[in-house]
Amino acid sequence: MQVLARLLMIGCCLFAVMPSPVVGQAQTQQQMDIQPAYAWLELIDRGRYFQSWQYASKQFKQNIEASQWNDVLVGAKDSLGTLVSRELSGYGERDTVAGLPKGKYMVFKFKSTFENKTLYELLIMTRENNELKTVAYLIQ
């Protein structure tokens, strides 16, 4: 019985100090995925609406013209004011997203505080030419 207890103790100690490559890889992948999301949102924060449209996916561009996108964002930014803070509150990969064709999507949810309001931003991205590109951007 004592031998079994010692083996369990040694096994637990070894398990505790062994690195977990799966967790490390997942965190690295999440960090890699989140960088384009923040970069794209930063274009909007800086008022570079046309550039945000340019760096979006083909599907995004087919759904809204650059001038319409500009008008939508000007109206939204006027009512919200400047960004105070933005924090990632959710992240996941999806094969299906309501209103979009079946595919591989990265869905980011941010809790964002602006001068005039705190809300959630939902950013949906997909890989296009080996880069993450925005498919949809929603304010909730």
Side-chain angles (χ1 to χ4, degrees), residues 26-89:
Q27 288 175 343
T28 302
Q29 185 63 47
Q30 181 179 357
Q31 290 168 349
M32 288 171 37
D33 289 344
I34 193 109
Q35 289 171 347
Y38 275 114
W40 192 84
L41 289 169
E42 188 175 339
L43 291 173
I44 292 173
D45 296 337
R46 292 179 179 220
R48 297 181 175 165
Y49 307 142
F50 182 69
Q51 281 182 311
S52 72
W53 184 85
Q54 285 181 308
Y55 289 112
S57 70
K58 290 176 189 173
Q59 183 178 359
F60 183 93
K61 293 175 190 173
Q62 290 172 350
N63 289 330
I64 190 166
E65 293 179 20
S67 60
Q68 292 172 315
W69 179 240
N70 184 74
D71 293 345
V72 166
L73 289 178
V74 166
K77 292 295 276 184
D78 284 348
S79 66
L80 295 174
T82 14
L83 178 72
V84 175
S85 68
R86 177 180 286 128
E87 182 181 323
L88 183 66
S89 64

